[in-house]
Amino acid sequence: MTTASIEQLRAGIRSIPDFPRPGILFRDITPVLSDPVLFRLAIAKFVEECAGKNIQKIAGVDARGFIFGGAIAHELNVGFIPIRKRGKLPFETIVSSYDLEYGTAEIEIHSDAIKPGERVTLIDDLLATGGTAGAAIKLLNQLKAEVVQVQFLVELEDLHGRDVLAPVPVLSILKY
């Protein structure tokens, strides 16, 4: 098996100026997802950060958090919990809203997804302002999960999203 480095992983993140609107530099992870070596490296880095933490569930945020989260849960042999946009889960849910630059959004989780006290790692692809992850942590806390950490492939440090998530430890593979 070919191995890759963090530098190669960073090179796999494509920067797209002025998307989705002027002034935004979009960090596109799809080249990492399409490259089996880079994707495997990303999953391995996420899994490394779970070592020794007795993680019982991985929660992933809709939609790219599902891609990483499912693979991580598989590697750790633990359950995967989807946190989805409101209206997408078929069973009884709890809902959390968060602010966007242009309004609000809502995410939800099944009300029976986690047993009280279960140790959970939250996964998503990118940390910007922390709004989505903060709402996801709120949902996990409502279910009385022990949120051990939140992990991201990419963190945009100048937006200070990790401050919003405190005191939950934030781990990011790549920082920009």
Side-chain angles (χ1 to χ4, degrees):
M1 175 171 71
T2 306
T3 58
S5 68
I6 290 296
E7 294 77 27
Q8 289 169 304
L9 188 59
R10 181 179 299 281
I13 305 293
R14 184 169 40 205
S15 297
I16 302 173
D18 299 320
F19 183 83
R21 63 176 212 269
I24 301 292
L25 181 61
F26 187 84
R27 303 295 180 165
D28 181 14
I29 67 161
T30 55
V32 170
L33 298 175
S34 70
D35 183 313
V37 174
L38 295 179
F39 184 60
R40 184 173 297 280
L41 174 62
I43 297 305
K45 291 296 182 187
F46 281 123
V47 168
E48 274 178 26
E49 293 296 340
C50 292
K53 294 183 172 87
N54 192 28
I55 303 301
Q56 295 169 289
K57 298 271 174 71
I58 297 294
V61 179
D62 196 347
R64 290 174 298 263
F66 291 3
I67 298 166
F68 292 112
I72 296 160
H74 173 78
E75 288 295 316
L76 294 173
N77 195 33
V78 300
F80 175 76
I81 306 301
I83 298 176
R84 301 215 54 194
K85 295 175 180 97
R86 187 164 190 185
K88 300 293 183 179
L89 291 174
F91 188 65
E92 180 182 312
T93 63
I94 59 172
V95 177
S96 181
S97 60
Y98 58 100
D99 292 328
L100 300 167
E101 295 173 45
Y102 48 84
T104 61
E106 294 178 310
I107 55 175
E108 65 184 354
I109 188 171
H110 278 146
S111 60
D112 65 350
I114 294 167
K115 296 180 184 91
E118 282 189 308
R119 295 175 59 82
V120 177
T121 289
L122 177 65
I123 302 291
D124 206 357
D125 67 321
L126 186 132
L127 173 59
T129 63
T132 306
I137 289 168
K138 180 179 172 186
L139 290 173
L140 294 168
N141 286 337
Q142 283 182 261
L143 294 177
K144 299 187 182 348
E146 183 180 341
V147 183
V148 176
Q149 61 189 349
V150 58
Q151 292 190 48
F152 302 92
L153 177 63
V154 173
E155 178 178 352
L156 306 178
E157 290 184 294
D158 60 331
L159 297 178
H160 306 287
R162 69 174 45 234
D163 298 343
V164 174
L165 307 180
V168 177
V170 175
L171 303 160
S172 302
I173 297 171
L174 301 170
K175 295 178 181 180
Y176 292 87

